[in-house]
Amino acid sequence: MKENKNYNRRSFIETASLVTAGFYVMPVISSCNSVPSSALPKVETTVNSDFNADVDIQLKAVQSSTKILYTKNTYTYSYKGSLIKGNKQTLQQLEGSALDPIIRVKKGDRVRIRFENEIAEKSIIHWHGLHVSHKNDGHPEHVIDKGETYIYEFEVMNRAGTYWFHPHPHGRTGEQVYKGLAGLFIVTDEEEKALNLPTGDYDIPVVIQDKTFDESNQLVYLSNGRMDQMRGFLGNQILINGKMDNTLSLNKDGKYQLRLLNGSNSRAYKLAWNTKEPMTVFGVDGGLLEGPKTLPYLILAPAQRVDVWLDLSKKSESEELKLIHLPIPLDNMMGGGMMGGGMMRNNSDHSLPYNSQFDILNIHVGVSRKNDAQLPDRLSVSQALDAANAVNRTSPRTFNFGMEGMMQWTINGRTYKGNEVVDDEIVKLNTTEVWRINNGGKISTANQNNGSGMMGNNRGMGNMMQMPHPVHIHQLQFNVVNRNSENVDRNLWNAVKDGFINEGWQDSVYLLSGMYMDLVMRFEDFKGLFLYHCHNLEHEDMGMMRNFKIE
Ligand code: C2O
Ligand code: CU
Ligand code: CU
């Protein structure tokens, strides 16, 4: 009983239909280069008429041109949403941004999304953080070509929280997200509504991304090829909600909820207020914490979300407040040796150094306008899973995130291979497990990891080939049992240690070099193949991604 409360158990309907009868022969046709993708037949759209949708959305991925810089437009990709059924607030526009639209739904809503691919390459959408079936999860095996449609039909079973969506075609996720395909998927529920948190104009999306533009305002991606890929893309400009303008004009006396998403390809941030006031966080990936938590600064890794409380009643009119990135000694932390100074950061790299301070968001305090929102001490009832109930509590399932050979990021020495799943990736429905994700951490009770010089816990060669991996698991929200940092470089650890949140439901965590973490999770409702991977999108595209199977 205790185990199941994260999701709505009452009733759910889930279906997904591949809308084309010819779908399974499509790959054959499209792999023939002489057929231009635009010549492919427009696929017929059929929906499941038994699925009675509360919300029905058409979402197209299109090639677009966006005014991001002042002169010439930038070629981007973007999603274009239109509402077929649902209330008007379902699609919230982000004016002039490629990150349009924000999708807002309620827990329990039955949602149909008609994804139409109009970009000249394969794509599929993944609903990051949502508890849905394999067919609704945006697995790379479901990619569709230009001109095709994929119908998602699922019930929103997640708690209120800030989720998001982005493409998931194997090998192309990084570039498609970089070009603008990403959006917020915000869920509300009764528990949250009862709290009187900020809504409407006081509920502010803040998607943080880094990009690099060339002289003609076009996006630059992986200009150093394999080297950039090994490290992950790092840009030289911060964009907020897809825009260069990072100033928000807010009202004095306003009480705000900032929904932060790190939508960057590979960059993590150490976020703080320039005034040195602590940050108040009240929600994470999978929704509200039990109570607000204050931290001197916050580490936000790729794909992670937090809800930050901002009360402007003690500010004065026309005061400026900044959210900044504080230095993290990571530029040379990929080892300091080959991966550091030499290979990872070379002369042609003009990306923003990790170990520097830069602005993320400027807040301009305007005229006074009060709203009656408040942040109670008690936000939700703890329903965290208990690791003591895990079927493998004495021997956690271990996944080593590290390098194999010289130039390949792997998980347990393996890379992504279609639907391949091996024995140690198969779990049972309706069980609770502990997963130990390890990035060369020092596991004192066992002598795992000792054999491999590359990933071993000795400080020599092993450490040189390591870097942090933002680890994400599909289909579920987990709880952090512990975070072991014994083998993390002390200088790095001291710079980040007060910025982690272990509480609440999460789907993405930042696994530093030398760290291991134990996560407790439960497999419920859906059998099938789901992904777990590094959310450094370049690592993911290179194959630092695997399936796990629930059976
Ligand atoms: Cu946001 Cu498989 O990821
Ligand atoms: Cu995901
Ligand atoms: Cu990685």
Side-chain angles (χ1 to χ4, degrees), residues 189-204:
D189 65 10
E190 295 305 320
E191 180 191 36
E192 184 199 52
K193 270 191 203 135
L195 292 174
N196 193 23
L197 292 168
T199 55
D201 292 346
Y202 297 87
D203 173 359
I204 314 268

Side-chain angles (χ1 to χ4, degrees), residues 206-401:
V206 182
V207 180
I208 306 168
Q209 295 176 310
D210 59 336
K211 312 268 180 193
T212 299
F213 296 88
D214 67 15
E215 320 76 57
S216 48
N217 293 357
Q218 302 313 308
L219 288 164
V220 177
Y221 185 61
L222 302 185
S223 56
N224 290 313
R226 187 78 173 177
M227 295 303 149
D228 279 4
Q229 260 184 310
M230 287 307 292
R231 182 191 62 181
F233 172 84
L234 293 174
N236 62 12
Q237 304 266 12
I238 298 298
L239 266 62
I240 296 297
N241 296 330
K243 297 178 187 183
M244 284 296 288
D245 178 6
N246 67 344
T247 301
L248 282 177
S249 293
L250 304 182
N251 301 316
K252 170 170 164 52
D253 295 319
K255 297 191 172 77
Y256 290 89
Q257 164 171 17
L258 304 182
R259 294 184 189 262
L260 269 43
L261 159 65
N262 181 351
S264 308
N265 281 48
S266 88
R267 186 185 289 276
Y269 300 92
K270 176 177 178 178
L271 301 173
W273 296 118
N274 68 328
T275 54
K276 302 201 161 64
E277 295 160 76
M279 295 192 67
T280 302
V281 174
F282 62 96
V284 290
D285 297 340
L288 294 169
L289 295 171
E290 257 185 273
K293 186 177 167 92
T294 55
L295 309 114
Y297 57 82
L298 175 71
I299 302 296
L300 198 66
Q304 288 188 306
R305 290 87 67 203
V306 283
D307 297 313
V308 171
W309 177 256
L310 177 60
D311 177 351
L312 294 179
S313 56
K314 298 211 173 64
K315 303 288 168 199
S316 42
E317 277 180 32
S318 74
E319 201 175 321
E320 303 280 339
L321 175 66
K322 279 177 200 275
L323 186 65
I324 55 176
H325 166 84
L326 293 175
I328 316 178
L330 262 180
D331 298 307
N332 296 309
M333 265 321 289
M334 293 96 186
M338 194 157 61
M339 287 296 202
M343 201 161 75
M344 286 312 207
R345 209 179 154 75
N346 59 35
N347 295 335
S348 62
D349 183 4
H350 301 296
S351 63
L352 291 164
Y354 267 110
N355 210 5
S356 64
Q357 180 175 318
F358 49 84
D359 292 354
I360 301 289
L361 189 66
N362 291 314
I363 291 169
H364 175 83
V365 184
V367 294
S368 167
R369 221 181 99 207
K370 277 200 174 78
N371 58 328
D372 70 350
Q374 48 185 299
L375 184 66
D377 292 337
R378 197 101 186 114
L379 291 157
S380 68
V381 180
S382 174
Q383 294 163 335
L385 296 168
D386 186 349
N389 296 332
V391 291
N392 63 347
R393 60 193 170 276
T394 53
S395 56
R397 198 181 282 273
T398 301
F399 296 98
N400 290 304
F401 286 73

